[in-house]
Amino acid sequence: MLTAEQNELLTRVGPGTPCGEMMRRYWQPIAAVSELTGPKWNKRVRLLGEDLVLYRDKQGRMGLITEQCPHRRASFAYGIPTDDGIRCPYHGWEFGHQGQCLSQPNEPEKSSFKTKVKTPAYSVEEMGGMFWAYMGPAESKPLLPRIDGFVTDGTIRMLGRTLIPVNWLQIMENSLDPIHTEWLHGHTYEFIKEQRGQSQKVAISTRHEKIAFREFEHGITKHRLLAGHSEDGDDWKIGHPVVFPNTLSVGNGDETSRYYAFQIRVPADDTHTLHLWYTAYVPPKGVKVAPELLDKVHVYDVCSSDLQRWN
Ligand code: FES
């Protein structure tokens, strides 16, 4: 059981907090590429306790900037894209992708005031049909984690998401609790169905004979052996990697057909977490799939009013 102090340490994610600074050293998925196509060129993002705006400039490059303009705090969600960044809707100050003020249309022509104005801005890169943000120090920026499920070509990609009013650790620790699947997703689910007169047995209610946890280079693998299953099965032999700090990775299949699945718990702030479930499915060889369905993330939101507000 965590103490109150340990809980604070691990769940406060704002700027300057130990956990927040740790989280800022990792790339976080913030939006689907398919959301920002055509006329839609920006969206609000709440990430690690900061209100931001993700945008595409007129050259097609992505930027991520603090939502409020440093001048009079107007919102860049109502801004204007430029060739090199974004312009504030209120007095037209323009900011580049590194947050530097580039122009102030109503200052005297020779004024150097713009060189003294800067606002927080962060790196954005694209992978697996999603935009990812890095908010840590530039000198510590790692490469995007090019895990095969995000970069395998010829896949059908789905992104589900919902915003949950809990801190990121409350969801993440669930990924290291194998037994709950047998009960919550198994017996409890069956009981609810039974009460509705819809008797339904689910495979996951099978008893766990053994569970185990093993540390590996990038986190912990979780292993389960269900009654009647072999120790040579993937669930026991390979397990499900919980990739530090906030991703559960699950997959299955072989050379003919396989899928990759990730559950990523992106801390929006101290008390809200954007829960993403991302699946990349490799269709069986010989099965024809319409080209427009491939390698593009199809988004479905399980809506909460907060999620709508941030969209
Ligand atoms: S509030 Fe943004 S330029 Fe004035």
Side-chain angles (χ1 to χ4, degrees), residues 15 43 157 178 193 232 299:
K43 72 171 281 189
R157 302 176 188 278
K193 285 283 186 183
D232 287 332
V299 183

Side-chain angles (χ1 to χ4, degrees), residues 26-40:
Y26 292 85
W27 288 93
Q28 304 289 346
I30 53 171
V33 173
S34 58
E35 288 178 276
L36 291 179
T37 53
K40 180 149 175 70

Side-chain angles (χ1 to χ4, degrees), residues 69 71-74 88 90-93:
C69 175
H71 180 214
R72 297 284 304 280
R73 299 187 61 74
C88 176
Y90 202 8
H91 307 101
W93 290 10

